[in-house]
Amino acid sequence: MYQNQIIIDGLQYCNWTRDYFITLRDSGITAVHVTLAYHEDARQTLSLFGQWNRLFEQNSDVIIPVDGVSDIALAKASGRVGIIFGAQNCSPIDDEIDLVEVMRKQGLLIMQLTYNNQSLLATGCYERVDSGVTRFGKQVIKEMNRVGMIIDMSHSAERSTLDTIEISTRPICISHANPTFAHDALRNKSNDVLKALGGTGGLLGFSLYPFHLPNGSQCQLSDFCEMVARTADLIGVEHLAIGSDLCLNQPQSVLEWMRNGRWSKSMDYGEGSSSNSGWPDALPWFDAKNGMKNIYQGLLEHGFAQEEVNQIIGGNWFNFLELSLKK
Amino acid sequence: MYQNQIIIDGLQYCNWTRDYFITLRDSGITAVHVTLAYHEDARQTLSLFGQWNRLFEQNSDVIIPVDGVSDIALAKASGRVGIIFGAQNCSPIDDEIDLVEVMRKQGLLIMQLTYNNQSLLATGCYERVDSGVTRFGKQVIKEMNRVGMIIDMSHSAERSTLDTIEISTRPICISHANPTFAHDALRNKSNDVLKALGGTGGLLGFSLYPFHLPNGSQCQLSDFCEMVARTADLIGVEHLAIGSDLCLNQPQSVLEWMRNGRWSKSMDYGEGSSSNSGWPDALPWFDAKNGMKNIYQGLLEHGFAQEEVNQIIGGNWFNFLELSLKK
């Protein structure tokens, strides 16, 4: 039964209000990977932690912070939603290796090495040339491995991702992206990357963001399940999960911050375009209330075994977190 | 026996090297309150935590970080020195109430509301007018109480200190200062302050910094013990401890940073003067190796009971920390 499972959404960036926390809880989600920062530097990231501390204080009956899988088990047992913090960029560590451990201690469990652009660590998926992991990047990967901070390459370029999988002594994740074979987009991942990821114990979270899906907002649940099935054939079901990339109730200004940060004076449209600059239309079968449950049912109907569906819907994330957060 | 006791030095700012950690351990000290920051802002404080994380990594056989008294017990049991972090100013929280919890989570257990000057929270002991606790100060006291961060008024002015004792719902400390009756200095504390402190369960750590002592560097151990005895008569031995203010192996530049931070273009000499601008001469009976042991012996010889000496030398700090760090 859906409601008995550990349900984990491996990426959301919604407008975090009490109402939305209650929606999350009522949807049956046990834990969610929340994007804390996109372009915020170390100092600004402290303020973001501070704002979340207030949310925890004010909503302790609905949400709890996750520092390890025992907190997810506690969330499940107490009918609350565990909040797993990640950054979609390496901006929270500035240019300072020691801030990896500082941010980990503050509760940042997951960090992307890049967000679309070249970073100090590696190359993002929209750059013309992918030069791979940098000198600083190698040091940071080693340090993230040491302190138990999870490496996420969702927005990184191919060679940088393959480099990282090779350098890292721990499995990494691609928390929210889809296979290129299902939809050819710069943000999606080649079979080479997927095989290297799975071959080292890594995790892929399938994205529900229309720009990452075949036929965009018209993608059907059965198409989505077929993509999952083909990826399971390629790398094994134990490496598959969900990272919906759900961004609900956010104004256009947030989309522009995600896409432009402080780095561009002219508007960058990311996966959109000047004639299609807004949030994409939501998938009718993936809303906040029933999205994960619909996927759960869809996968069962598509022919996945119960145990496989349990893994994809949260069990794999739980096991991956358990292994990855150990020091 | 000295070596069986919990020995806590309630304030040091030495040059932190492996050699010095070994000296600390060999001196029998179980835990030491280390000044992490004087004037460093939030961002700089993160770097200081980062530097200390490296020290913990490189010297895990000699020192351990303290987040609660169980870590002090562990330090004792494993023959290591517990490091208790404090800030001598409120600069680590910038102007942001939420940073109290953020810094507490990072490991800042103690914070002074002021360092000599007016701060955003209260008035320092060298200001001409002491206007008491500010609007922001009241909020920060409440927040420190909530998250279990200890308030330290060592460098604060009289009214601000009395205000704080009244506002705070938890006992506060004056980690390193002496009674004015023993030596009249702006940094020392009046009987009114001492009585208010003791009357609310607070703690006074006696300073070994010569500028705070009768006869300065010529102060004898017996004079020191007499000061302790008179203070015990005034407020009770259960409120007394040691906060040596030991600053060993630091260059003049560190003294100037402590005194001037970024706030003065002309040199401020603190407790010194233009003709006496350096570190004061150390007390011959209070060095890093035998200082705490000499006090232990001195107090016994002065007529304190064994149990009283155990309290003063560390037991009171331990109990105060146990009570104060609970959330």
Side-chain angles (χ1 to χ4, degrees), chain A residues 3-126:
Chain A
Q3 48 266 54
N4 295 338
Q5 304 309 320
I6 297 274
I7 314 290
I8 299 180
D9 188 345
L11 205 288
Q12 288 198 12
Y13 187 67
C14 296
N15 191 358
W16 307 107
T17 61
R18 181 170 177 83
D19 278 353
Y20 185 67
F21 294 139
I22 290 169
T23 301
L24 266 179
R25 182 191 62 189
D26 294 347
S27 79
I29 284 180
T30 318
V32 58
H33 169 198
V34 161
T35 293
L36 184 74
Y38 279 97
H39 303 286
E40 289 83 354
D41 64 12
R43 176 61 187 84
Q44 294 172 311
T45 300
L46 294 191
S47 294
L48 295 172
F49 274 117
Q51 289 161 23
W52 268 98
N53 286 340
R54 285 202 201 197
L55 290 174
F56 289 123
E57 196 184 346
Q58 292 158 358
N59 300 282
S60 60
D61 55 329
V62 193
I63 56 170
I64 63 167
V66 171
D67 198 62
V69 288
S70 63
D71 296 316
I72 298 177
L74 177 61
K76 184 71 184 170
S78 59
R80 291 178 289 173
V81 180
I83 304 293
I84 302 162
F85 288 118
Q88 293 223 21
N89 202 347
C90 58
S91 53
I93 65 165
D94 293 352
D95 59 355
E96 194 168 331
I97 185 80
D98 291 332
L99 293 199
V100 174
E101 187 169 7
V102 165
M103 288 297 166
R104 176 64 180 82
K105 183 159 187 179
Q106 200 60 230
L108 191 70
L109 306 192
I110 302 171
M111 189 173 80
Q112 289 182 197
L113 302 195
T114 72
Y115 185 76
N116 299 344
N117 291 2
Q118 178 69 42
S119 78
L120 295 180
L121 309 181
T123 305
C125 60
Y126 289 173

Side-chain angles (χ1 to χ4, degrees), chain B residues 80 125 179 207 226-227 243 273:
Chain B
R80 290 179 290 174
C125 60
S207 167
E226 177 61 19
M227 172 176 72
S273 61

Side-chain angles (χ1 to χ4, degrees), chain A residues 266-294:
Chain A
S266 62
M267 185 67 77
D268 183 86
Y269 296 103
E271 291 160 298
S273 62
S274 60
S275 60
N276 181 23
S277 65
W279 295 97
D281 291 338
L283 297 162
W285 50 271
F286 195 84
D287 61 6
K289 199 174 164 198
N290 295 308
M292 293 298 272
K293 192 170 183 180
N294 288 341

